[in-house]
Amino acid sequence: MADVALQPRTAKRQIREATAWDQLRTNRNWLGFWFMLPAMAFLIFFLAYPLGLGVWISFTDAKIGRPGEYIGIENYEWLWGDSIFWLSVFNTLLYTFIASAIKFAIGLYLALLLNENMPFKAMLRALVLIPFIVPTVLSALAFWWIFDSQFSIISWSLKQIGLITENINFLGDVTWARICVIFANIWRGVPFVAITLLAGLQTVQPSLYEAATLDGASKWEMFRFITYPLLTPIIAVVMTFSVLFTFTDFQLIWAMTRGGPVNATHLMATLSYQRAIIAGQLGEGAAISSAMIPFLLAAIMVSWFGLQRRKWQQGENND
Amino acid sequence: MHDFTRRSLLQGGTALAAAGALTGPALFDFAKAWAQSAPWKAEKGAKLTVMRWKRFVPAEDDAFNAMVAAFKAATGTEMNVFSESFEDVQPKASVAANTGSGLDLAWGLHTLPQLFPTQVLQMNDVADYLGKKYGGWTDAAAVTCKQGNNWLGIPVATIGGYMTYRKSSVEKAGFKDFPKDFPGFLEMCKALKKNNTPAGFPLGHASGDANAWLHWILWGHGAYTVDKDNKVIINSPETVKALEYCKALSDTFIPGVASWNDSSNNKAFLAGELHCTANGISIYVAAKDDPNKKELTEDTYHALWPVGPIGKPTELQLCVPILAFKFTKYPNAAKAFVAFMLEKENYDKWLSGARGYLTHTLNAYDNSPVWTADPKNQVFSQASKRALPASGIGTPGEKAATAIADFLVVDMFANYCTGREDAKGAIAVTERQLKRIYR
């Protein structure tokens, strides 16, 4: 009787459908989910949440120390007619475009140069990295001194040589100030571009160049038809990061000019800081920061779709 | 945070002894006696966390620390004191106000208590006690800290800024005395430029110096950002006159002022390139402390800001009030500490330590030794009396603080003086921003 009584229970256990818990324990997809969970949590709490909070604050009249009320798009409407905001947008685009282009040109040149066999190559490569290892604020302070209106070493030297009679008004003149901050950004950013492109160049097989040499290809043709196509994915990644870093630059500008003279070097990031933290208008500052998102997304998309189109990376031909 | 060791106390005491102040055992004896008779008795086991602005004159910090240590010894109150840069005091105090924790006392810039009036401990009794005992408060200091009849904080001091100039250069320019009105001042600056001994005032984002002298020009012409009802009135003929005067003045300046921050004029003056500017006493103190700058020290003098067409002083001086938060567990200890800070036995030596960088806000300290110890300090003694509050004729508070922190007046003048905008355009941009803030 005991056996008979047990039998249906056993049979019932055999045909029981897998519970959600069973699936969570054994299903491979769910296992993948478990492994992904820490990364997802990290992304949500430390990346998505702050971004979402920032965007939310931009729809409020929050002040420092007070959460504020929801005011819809009032902050954005206000910024739409704010000449200083548009000046900061112009400055940011100008700064990003010129600095990124020059950083790329110099970085590529240095990478090609350092990829050649030459004496003291290791030392030269290390030297290129120097601007990258100096803390940004420190280099910004150094540039501040170099371009100081009264104590510039450049003005002093040129005066000593007899080329000028008065100090150059580096950071006090609108055009000069823009040139100076762009120059400082290029100085800081070139090593990143150069070293990353150099790493990319090292992956190009020498046999390709040997074959091209046998075919009688010139240096330019080798660059145009071998180096450049193979380096394109690296260039896309490097330029994406370079544009993002330049667009969101803050420390260099804040330490050198604080956005001056007459707001001529205010980037969106520095204006956002001034309005939000210094002046206490958190909502407005957040709106300026949020207004950067479309520009940054556009920069990422260009690179993203550029990379997606290169199907040869997955073993297929280019579109 | 400061940990008051015997060594640090001795170091503080040494600095104070040099200033001829009440130090060492005498200071502790006074503190003990004061604690016995003070109207506020610190709660048993009280602990106070105090945030203050980072000192500019080291001896002032020494005097402050010695005072804190004496209070701690006399009342048994645990004291944690830490310093923050000017820009960081306001956000951190605001966060404390918002979260209701972290700080008991905050010592910061002019509008701090007005930012969160519902979160501060009212100090009417402390203000009354000190005011009666020490000859009353100066007007600007009281206006800065009061909301109606309530004191939201105590105006500990004013950081005074005045004309700093090379006497020999001004005399060579044909002026026996420093000019006392706007036309005379402009003529002097023209002559200084002609002699290649130029004046220079910052037109960049210099939080203290640029705001100070440009508000002086604005107010001196009878122009204000807002009226007494906080209605925006920047768009006025008086503002245009102020812009025109400032443009004429800026044409005489040393090149580069559009890029200057708060330290630029100090450096240029000490390097001998600048012969007239407006600043706290720090330029003179730095010159005095440098044995290689004896000649410059002797030639450096201070003067009151010249008076504008409206015929009365229109100075923006930086009041530095202290406030206690309502949520502090030790309100009596907090009030006792604030009152203790401003007692004569402490305050005189503190002013001496600051060497003229801080100016008293209680009338009884008019004759403090620091103002007579060096005749060149004397001008700074008037900072609290001649100042207008940061809001001008408007209501002090968050909005006025925002307008100043966002450099609205500075940018308006800079835009016009550098030729970036005409007067109408410069005023229009400022007016729009002011209306946004005062909406």
Side-chain angles (χ1 to χ4, degrees):
Chain A
M1 280 299 283
D3 287 346
V4 173
L6 283 171
Q7 216 165 14
R9 235 182 272 164
T10 311
K12 198 174 181 180
R13 200 180 300 144
Q14 282 169 346
I15 61 166
R16 178 174 68 84
E17 285 184 10
T19 62
W21 174 242
D22 291 332
Q23 285 189 22
L24 283 176
R25 282 188 303 148
T26 58
N27 184 292
R28 284 176 64 82
N29 291 335
W30 277 104
L31 196 64
F33 171 78
W34 284 121
F35 281 119
M36 284 287 293
L37 197 59
M40 275 173 57
F42 181 84
L43 289 172
I44 288 168
F45 285 112
F46 293 106
L47 299 178
Y49 172 70
L51 179 68
L53 185 63
V55 174
W56 163 251
I57 291 173
S58 74
F59 293 113
T60 70
D61 61 355
K63 305 270 168 38
I64 283 187
R66 281 194 271 117
E69 300 284 328
Y70 176 77
I71 54 168
I73 58 167
E74 192 191 304
N75 284 324
Y76 294 94
E77 284 174 341
W78 153 255
L79 289 176
W80 187 260
D82 182 2
S83 57
I84 297 172
F85 167 72
W86 286 111
L87 180 62
S88 79
V89 173
F90 170 76
N91 291 337
T92 309
L93 293 173
L94 182 83
Y95 182 76
T96 306
F97 183 77
I98 295 179
S100 299
I102 298 177
K103 274 188 283 189
F104 173 69
I106 298 175
L108 182 62
Y109 169 74
L110 283 175
L112 291 168
L113 197 71
L114 294 172
N115 198 37
E116 297 291 324
N117 281 324
M118 60 168 74
F120 310 114
K121 195 161 75 173
M123 202 172 78
L124 286 171
R125 285 179 181 178
L127 277 176
V128 168
L129 271 177
I130 283 179
F132 206 50
I133 59 173
V134 179
T136 310
V137 169
L138 203 62
S139 50
L141 288 175
F143 277 113
W144 179 40
W145 275 100
I146 290 168
F147 296 127
D148 189 273
S149 307
Q150 271 73 44
F151 307 105
S152 165
I153 183 73
I154 300 171
S155 290
W156 182 83
S157 304
L158 293 174
K159 269 165 62 178
Q160 292 296 313
I161 298 167
L163 289 177
I164 57 171
T165 52
E166 286 191 347
N167 286 348
I168 300 170
N169 192 7
F170 283 116
L171 296 180
D173 175 80
V174 169
T175 309
W176 268 117
R178 284 178 175 150
I179 292 170
C180 291
V181 293
I182 288 172
F183 179 84
N185 181 277
I186 291 168
W187 182 83
R188 271 202 63 74
V190 159
F192 169 72
V193 178
I195 295 298
T196 316
L197 291 182
L198 179 62
L201 285 174
Q202 310 259 294
T203 65
V204 181
Q205 290 178 6
S207 58
L208 293 172
Y209 293 113
E210 286 164 15
T213 308
L214 290 174
D215 289 341
S218 66
K219 283 269 180 194
W220 166 249
E221 284 168 334
M222 281 194 268
F223 174 77
R224 173 69 187 84
F225 297 108
I226 300 172
T227 310
Y228 177 71
L230 292 177
L231 210 55
T232 308
I234 303 286
I235 290 173
V237 173
V238 167
M239 287 315 291
T240 303
F241 279 96
S242 182
V243 167
L244 294 187
F245 292 154
T246 313
F247 198 92
T248 56
D249 195 7
F250 170 81
Q251 291 181 70
L252 209 58
I253 300 291
W254 197 251
M256 281 179 72
T257 66
R258 301 224 162 182
V262 282
N263 299 313
T265 60
H266 244 320
L267 302 187
M268 292 169 84
T270 53
L271 186 66
S272 168
Y273 179 79
Q274 184 181 300
R275 294 266 168 93
I277 307 298
I278 305 295
Q281 309 278 65
L282 272 183
E284 203 174 301
I288 297 170
S289 289
S290 299
M292 294 165 77
I293 294 173
F295 295 102
L296 296 170
L297 272 178
I300 292 169
M301 290 300 162
V302 167
S303 153
W304 175 255
F305 287 115
L307 283 173
Q308 288 292 304
R309 284 167 62 81
R310 298 210 158 262
K311 291 180 182 171
W312 53 264
Q313 286 189 101
Q314 285 83 38
E316 298 173 39
N317 292 327
N318 274 341
D319 284 342
Chain B
M1 292 208 181
H2 293 291
D3 182 17
F4 292 102
T5 61
R6 192 176 65 90
R7 181 183 293 272
S8 70
L9 277 178
L10 284 173
Q11 283 172 341
T14 309
L16 293 173
L22 190 60
T23 59
L27 176 62
F28 285 98
D29 288 344
F30 158 70
K32 276 181 190 168
W34 183 88
Q36 296 287 324
S37 60
W40 305 274
K41 306 291 178 208
E43 293 85 354
K44 208 174 176 184
K47 291 178 187 171
L48 294 179
T49 301
V50 185
M51 174 173 66
R52 64 157 292 179
W53 51 275
K54 207 168 273 176
R55 91 290 192 281
F56 289 86
V57 177
E60 180 268 305
D61 204 32
D62 294 336
F64 182 75
N65 291 343
M67 181 163 55
V68 169
F71 181 78
K72 178 183 174 181
T75 63
T77 304
E78 282 296 320
M79 299 292 292
N80 289 323
V81 181
F82 67 96
S83 306
E84 293 289 349
S85 64
F86 267 144
E87 281 97 351
D88 291 339
V89 168
Q90 178 183 320
K92 291 192 175 181
S94 298
V95 170
N98 205 37
T99 58
S101 65
L103 291 173
D104 298 286
L105 290 149
W107 187 29
L109 302 189
H110 41 79
T111 51
L112 194 64
Q114 306 279 355
L115 289 180
F116 24 75
T118 57
Q119 294 298 311
V120 300
L121 185 69
Q122 287 190 1
M123 292 271 189
N124 296 357
D125 45 355
V126 179
D128 195 43
Y129 166 83
L130 290 169
K132 279 181 181 159
K133 194 169 178 182
Y134 295 109
W137 298 93
T138 60
D139 290 344
V143 169
T144 299
C145 281
K146 282 176 86 172
Q147 191 183 61
N149 290 322
N150 293 323
W151 289 74
L152 305 175
I154 295 296
V156 177
T158 301
I159 298 174
Y162 279 102
M163 291 293 168
T164 302
Y165 66 97
R166 296 278 293 267
K167 191 174 176 58
S168 60
S169 306
V170 167
E171 284 176 348
K172 196 179 161 194
F175 291 80
K176 198 176 166 217
D177 297 311
F178 198 88
K180 292 182 172 53
D181 57 20
F182 278 21
F185 182 66
L186 177 59
E187 288 311 309
M188 185 197 73
C189 288
K190 282 180 181 172
L192 283 173
K193 189 192 181 189
K194 203 174 164 190
N195 292 342
N196 202 24
T197 55
F201 297 74
L203 274 167
H205 283 182
S207 314
D209 294 340
N211 271 311
W213 85 274
L214 290 167
H215 277 83
W216 160 67
I217 297 273
L218 184 74
W219 295 342
H221 284 88
Y224 294 92
T225 50
V226 292
D227 66 10
K228 61 183 174 49
D229 299 317
N230 291 331
K231 186 184 164 211
V232 175
I233 54 165
I234 191 71
N235 193 352
S236 68
E238 289 81 10
T239 304
V240 176
K241 281 180 189 160
L243 286 171
E244 285 166 354
Y245 178 79
C246 191
K247 174 79 172 76
L249 207 55
S250 69
D251 288 342
T252 71
F253 290 170
I254 189 172
V257 292
S259 69
W260 277 11
N261 62 23
D262 278 308
S263 66
S264 303
N265 56 352
N266 295 48
K267 286 187 298 176
F269 195 97
L270 291 169
E273 297 196 0
L274 182 64
H275 294 250
C276 175
T277 192
N279 204 64
I281 204 168
S282 52
I283 289 178
Y284 178 60
V285 167
K288 248 195 329 192
D289 289 349
D290 187 342
N292 299 319
K293 297 211 183 306
K294 196 164 178 285
E295 196 186 333
L296 177 68
T297 308
E298 285 170 2
D299 195 28
T300 299
Y301 279 75
H302 300 115
L304 296 169
W305 298 87
V307 174
I310 66 164
K312 57 182 179 182
T314 51
E315 296 167 10
L316 172 63
Q317 307 283 3
L318 202 59
C319 185
V320 279
I322 194 166
L323 61 89
F325 286 105
K326 198 167 69 177
F327 53 77
T328 178
K329 290 178 188 167
Y330 312 107
N332 287 332
K335 285 182 177 179
F337 177 66
V338 173
F340 180 71
M341 282 166 70
L342 278 92
E343 292 285 9
K344 189 171 176 56
E345 289 77 359
N346 284 315
Y347 200 72
D348 264 345
K349 67 172 182 278
W350 193 8
L351 287 180
S352 296
R355 302 169 73 184
Y357 193 76
L358 294 179
T359 305
H360 56 280
T361 47
L362 283 159
N363 293 317
Y365 295 111
D366 283 351
N367 300 316
S368 283
V370 68
W371 306 128
T372 48
D374 182 340
K376 290 180 182 177
N377 294 356
Q378 204 278 329
V379 163
F380 290 88
S381 71
Q382 301 177 56
S384 295
K385 298 201 168 176
R386 292 171 63 95
L388 289 179
S391 54
I393 55 174
T395 312
E398 188 179 14
K399 290 171 181 174
T402 297
I404 283 186
D406 212 8
F407 299 104
L408 298 194
V409 168
V410 173
D411 282 348
M412 179 179 76
F413 280 103
N415 274 325
Y416 183 67
C417 292
T418 59
R420 192 175 180 84
E421 299 264 9
D422 60 12
K424 200 177 163 189
I427 293 171
V429 171
T430 312
E431 185 181 30
R432 183 172 182 273
Q433 289 177 297
L434 282 166
K435 281 183 175 169
R436 167 77 171 170
I437 291 167
Y438 282 92
R439 68 190 188 278

